[in-house]
Amino acid sequence: MDRELALELVRVTEAAAVSSAQWMGRGQKDEADDAATTAMRTMFDSIAMEGTVVIGEGELDEAPMLYIGEKLGNGNGPEVDIAVDPLEGTNIVAKGHNNAMSVIAAADRGALLHAPDMYMQKIAVGKQARGQISLDDPIEKTIETVAKATNKRINDLTIIVQERPRHEELVERIRAKGARVKLFGDGDVEASIATCLPHTGIDLFVGTGGAPEGVISAAAVKCLGGDMQARLVPQNDEEAQRCIEMGLNDPKQLLTHHDLVSSDDAIFAATGVTEGELLHGVKFLGGDLAETDSIVMRAKTGTIRFIKANHHMNNKPHLLNND
């Protein structure tokens, strides 16, 4: 993988973001997702790579495009695994809320965990606490560990948790320990990334969410020098069997950061769809102009680029709303 591929992947997330942003606030989450997926798939055809989707929109019989196993790129370039979420936050866009993004992670062939679409328990921290966390530790011990690593008092820590009934006990324990809790609705990729960026003020991400998003997050956290661990949470025998078919003899084994992303190199690209703490949303400037705000990172070099771009949509028919 190289710098050129990283920058090309941003073009893909930009296309998906602009296309899906046109559905912001319309209450139609499926249409927004379809728009992002179609735009992303179209742009992939121009990328110089031999890509294989390992995390996408579903199995072949579930998704017409960006399905697991689909080949992407023009065939002239590096062999890479691709994990995509064309629109992380379909409900966010439908309701006009904050923090929806279009995201892509890429790594060397075979380097990304082929996570099935099921629940995953996750924990993520920035570089200061790298190598010091364990998903097996009680949350109270983890809070103490992160406080020491970041040189903060416990009552100054901010821990981000998805606002779901399954996390109510976890939130109570965090508060009882004395740390602050920041709740969010959807979009746990951005929540994981926030732990690695000092300006967000987030020290720890913990909770249970989607496994595909967990692998995408792991690639981003690796690019930023942070740390992440996870554990799949199968809900039935069928999901447990899928884990075994992935090569996990113990479906509930602890997955280290290396298990999630085994290569030392990874690329993460994201473009904001709606306003967020990490990225601004797409702005339609009048006429045929749209402005995007993106981030692209590469683990091997540690490079982080924030990219603001203007797009002439009349030159890209797939970005246009055909209403």
Side-chain angles (χ1 to χ4, degrees), residues 79-323:
E79 297 183 358
V80 294
D81 282 353
I82 298 291
V84 301
D85 194 343
L87 180 56
E88 197 211 11
T90 55
N91 285 318
I92 292 174
V93 172
K95 297 176 181 179
H97 291 172
N98 290 350
N99 295 319
M101 301 190 301
S102 173
V103 299
I104 294 173
D108 298 325
R109 181 65 52 85
L112 296 179
L113 180 74
H114 296 196
D117 189 7
M118 64 176 65
Y119 278 125
M120 174 184 273
Q121 188 181 6
K122 316 168 199 176
I123 185 173
V125 292
K127 64 176 61 178
Q128 289 176 296
R130 183 175 59 197
Q132 301 178 53
I133 58 166
S134 173
L135 196 56
D136 289 332
D137 286 341
I139 187 61
E140 292 83 1
K141 181 178 178 180
T142 299
I143 290 171
E144 293 174 357
T145 298
V146 174
K148 183 177 180 180
T150 57
N151 194 30
K152 291 184 178 181
R153 297 174 301 177
I154 287 177
N155 62 359
D156 290 332
L157 290 182
T158 301
I159 300 172
I160 192 165
V161 182
Q162 192 170 27
E163 189 173 14
R164 294 290 187 270
R166 61 180 177 269
H167 292 145
E168 288 176 358
E169 180 186 354
L170 174 64
V171 169
E172 289 177 4
R173 290 171 63 185
I174 294 170
R175 288 171 173 165
K177 185 64 177 177
R180 304 186 302 165
V181 176
K182 182 169 186 177
L183 298 173
F184 70 97
D186 295 309
D188 64 3
V189 173
E190 182 173 47
S192 301
I193 295 171
T195 63
C196 301
L197 298 171
H199 73 270
T200 67
I202 303 298
D203 301 293
L204 171 67
F205 164 78
V206 63
T208 300
E213 293 85 352
V215 176
I216 295 172
S217 298
V221 171
K222 175 161 280 193
C223 290
L224 291 165
D227 198 4
M228 186 167 175
Q229 292 185 357
R231 176 179 285 112
L232 291 167
V233 187
Q235 302 293 296
N236 50 49
D237 291 342
E238 180 182 354
E239 290 190 352
Q241 183 59 38
R242 288 192 68 187
C243 296
I244 294 172
E245 291 170 357
M246 290 168 50
L248 300 177
N249 293 328
D250 178 5
K252 296 185 179 181
Q253 75 178 62
L254 177 68
L255 299 169
T256 67
H257 206 177
H258 184 75
D259 293 324
L260 297 167
V261 185
S262 60
S263 172
D264 290 334
D265 200 4
I267 294 171
F268 174 83
T271 301
V273 178
T274 61
E275 284 296 302
E277 295 182 30
L278 176 64
L279 298 167
H280 293 297
V282 175
K283 294 181 176 64
F284 296 102
L285 305 178
D288 66 348
L289 277 179
E291 180 181 274
T292 57
D293 190 30
S294 304
I295 186 173
V296 60
M297 308 178 283
R298 187 179 176 198
K300 186 175 182 179
T301 61
T303 303
I304 304 169
R305 288 184 172 89
F306 287 91
I307 301 172
K308 191 175 292 291
N310 286 352
H311 307 268
H312 292 274
M313 292 188 295
N314 63 353
N315 294 327
K316 302 174 183 177
H318 60 280
L319 297 182
L320 293 176
N321 182 358
N322 294 319
D323 283 0

Side-chain angles (χ1 to χ4, degrees), residues 18-85:
V18 172
S19 191
S20 59
Q22 296 176 74
W23 293 93
M24 193 275 287
R26 296 189 181 187
Q28 297 172 286
K29 67 175 186 177
D30 291 337
E31 288 79 357
D33 191 47
D34 288 345
T37 301
T38 300
M40 180 173 279
R41 181 62 186 83
T42 300
M43 289 298 293
F44 265 125
D45 286 339
S46 66
I47 306 300
M49 68 176 187
E50 295 181 49
T52 302
V53 177
V54 298
I55 290 175
E57 292 294 276
E59 305 289 346
L60 176 58
D61 59 350
E62 300 172 346
M65 60 184 73
L66 296 180
Y67 54 83
I68 297 170
E70 184 174 8
K71 303 301 181 182
L72 301 176
N74 62 15
N76 299 314
E79 297 183 358
V80 294
D81 282 353
I82 298 291
V84 301
D85 194 343

